[in-house]
Structures are given as structure tokens and as C-alpha cells.
Amino acid sequence: MSRHSLIHEHMSLVKTVARRMARKLPSHVVLDDLISAGMLGLIDAVDKYDPERMQRFPRYAEIRIKGAILDELRAMDHVSRGVRRQA
């Protein structure tokens, strides 16, 4: 399967993960921003996926998508994780 077709086939997974995460976030976080970050995670998953080592692409992609969204949320936050933990 080609890179382009893998990305196209799993775009709905990005939206699903982004919506699921958006439910737990404040209302000022824009869903489209989460989807954009998730698309970068999907592209990264497609580029790094090794079918010999890993069994199921959708599960691997979901982990990478969620990680990319979390990275974006951390980048948007002006307070460090340590300060958040103390609060």
C-alpha cells in the first residue's frame, strides 16, 4: 500500500482521536488545531511504520496521532508541566 493511500485511508482516525481528546479539554482549544497536529502524527506514523516489527497499523497510528496532539497542546501551554503538576 502506498504512503498516500495509507494517509488517506486513516484520516478518519485522526478526527476520531482529536474529537475524543477535545471532550476533555477546555472550550478554547480549537478542534481543527488538534486535527492538524494529528495529521502530522499520522504522516509520521506512516513514515516510521515497519510491518515486519509491528502488527496493526491503526493502533500504531493512533498512538502516534495522540502523541502529536499532546505535543501540540504542550507547545500551546505557556505554563510548564512541573508547575501544572504542583497546581
Side-chain angles (χ1 to χ4, degrees):
M1 189 175 272
S2 75
R3 179 179 189 263
H4 179 74
S5 61
L6 261 178
I7 292 169
H8 186 70
E9 182 180 331
H10 292 89
M11 285 172 53
S12 62
L13 180 60
V14 173
K15 293 176 183 175
T16 300
V17 172
R19 285 186 190 116
R20 193 179 322 136
M21 292 179 74
R23 281 188 243 136
K24 300 174 187 174
L25 296 171
S27 60
H28 69 273
V29 177
V30 180
L31 178 62
D32 286 342
D33 291 344
L34 301 181
I35 292 171
S36 294
M39 285 302 297
L40 294 175
L42 175 61
I43 292 168
D44 189 47
V46 168
D47 290 342
K48 294 182 179 174
Y49 181 66
D50 180 6
E52 298 295 320
R53 252 185 63 206
M54 299 163 213
Q55 297 173 356
R56 294 183 43 223
F57 178 76
R59 180 64 184 136
Y60 175 72
E62 184 177 344
I63 292 167
R64 300 297 297 200
I65 292 165
K66 186 174 180 181
I69 292 172
L70 288 172
D71 288 346
E72 180 64 22
L73 288 170
R74 288 182 188 121
M76 290 169 34
D77 193 1
H78 62 279
V79 179
S80 71
R81 288 166 53 180
V83 171
R84 288 259 180 239
R85 216 173 300 131
Q86 288 176 347

